[in-house]
Amino acid sequence: HRGMLYPSSFLPLAEASGFIIEIDKWCLQRAASQLKVWQDRFRMTTPLWMSVNASVSDFSDVGLLELVSGMVVVTGLEPETLVIEITESMLLDNSDQNLRLLTQLRELGVGLALDDFGTAFSSLSYLRRFPFDHLKLDISFIAEVLTSTRTLLLVEEICHLSKSMGMRSIAEGIEQREQADVLRSVGCEFGQGYLFSKPLAAEECEQLLIAQMEP
């Protein structure tokens, strides 16, 4: 009835009611199906991969592992091209349980990303304990890379750490070309943000992929 809504307008209610688990399942299924369609249509040297956010509630759902495993089989996806994003705050509680689940997901071959890296007190301990493939620098770092030498040096070290541990480094919230240039210069591999595109519906996103394929 209300049309397109921003997540902030409905996620708190969805989490409080427990309905967030059903929403996340729907998003995961749609993402996996859409990714497979794009992989089959747009053949690239590096296969397309897609990230899907997980919520705290997902990690209390005993059916998550079975759901992900089933989707990989049904869609025929290469598991590593489906990436599940976890925020640092989600790892604060039930760490042993979370570690088991993340390890099981990793054994399926699914990619794992640590989102908002650098916002919690135990950031480095998470890298030691949990099997992540992608490290996403929090937007607060990116906002300061052009104005703070200390922040830029820290970002550079995080990118080097990420590479040495076999993880992809991803910068969030890039809005200026200068930010992208300086991040690239210190070794950051990937970026996302409004500089590249606003959030798009699948049909609009497909036009970007078509443009990438054109000579």
Side-chain angles (χ1 to χ4, degrees):
H1 295 289
R2 295 174 58 189
M4 188 70 73
L5 302 175
Y6 285 103
S8 59
S9 66
F10 65 87
L11 283 184
L13 178 60
E15 291 174 344
S17 65
F19 194 63
I20 187 66
I21 293 177
E22 295 304 314
I23 293 175
D24 285 349
K25 286 180 178 178
W26 179 84
C27 288
L28 196 56
Q29 290 168 334
R30 286 292 299 271
S33 298
Q34 183 65 72
L35 177 58
K36 180 58 176 174
V37 169
W38 282 340
Q39 286 178 346
D40 290 342
R41 182 175 179 187
F42 303 101
R43 302 284 183 173
M44 298 186 177
T45 304
T46 301
L48 291 170
W49 47 280
M50 186 183 293
S51 296
V52 182
N53 293 102
S55 68
V56 174
S57 299
D58 292 327
F59 275 65
S60 63
D61 179 16
V62 295
L64 176 63
L65 187 67
E66 183 179 352
L67 173 67
V68 174
S69 176
M71 282 193 308
V72 169
V73 172
V74 170
T75 60
L77 278 175
E78 292 296 328
E80 65 272 13
T81 62
L82 180 65
V83 179
I84 297 178
E85 292 190 7
I86 298 98
T87 62
E88 292 188 5
S89 60
M90 291 172 57
L91 303 177
L92 293 175
D93 300 320
N94 300 320
S95 292
D96 291 336
Q97 176 183 326
N98 291 338
L99 177 58
R100 285 194 298 272
L101 180 54
L102 290 175
T103 300
Q104 290 171 321
L105 288 169
R106 183 67 180 272
E107 288 172 351
L108 287 176
V110 173
L112 299 173
L114 180 56
D115 199 9
D116 301 333
F117 180 77
T119 58
F121 291 112
S122 303
S123 297
L124 292 178
S125 69
Y126 295 144
L127 297 186
R128 178 174 57 85
R129 295 192 62 193
F130 296 98
F132 292 105
D133 307 285
H134 308 252
L135 188 61
K136 301 190 70 175
L137 284 78
D138 185 67
I139 191 172
S140 60
F141 289 108
I142 312 311
E144 296 180 357
V145 292
L146 298 179
T147 58
S148 170
T149 301
R150 291 174 65 88
T151 298
L152 181 59
L153 290 172
L154 184 57
V155 167
E156 183 174 19
E157 290 305 316
I158 292 173
C159 292
H160 289 169
L161 175 66
S162 175
K163 185 175 182 179
S164 67
M165 296 184 70
M167 296 181 290
R168 287 169 165 163
S169 55
I170 306 172
E172 302 179 288
I174 301 175
E175 297 186 355
Q176 303 174 45
R177 174 61 60 186
E178 292 79 8
Q179 290 174 324
D181 291 341
V182 73
L183 287 163
R184 187 180 294 109
S185 72
V186 297
C188 188
E189 296 180 85
F190 294 88
Q192 67 181 65
Y194 275 39
L195 173 66
F196 308 109
S197 175
K198 64 179 182 179
L200 300 173
E203 295 78 11
E204 297 172 296
C205 188
E206 193 161 298
Q207 296 306 309
L208 291 181
L209 292 170
I210 292 172
Q212 290 293 318
M213 297 295 292
E214 293 175 352

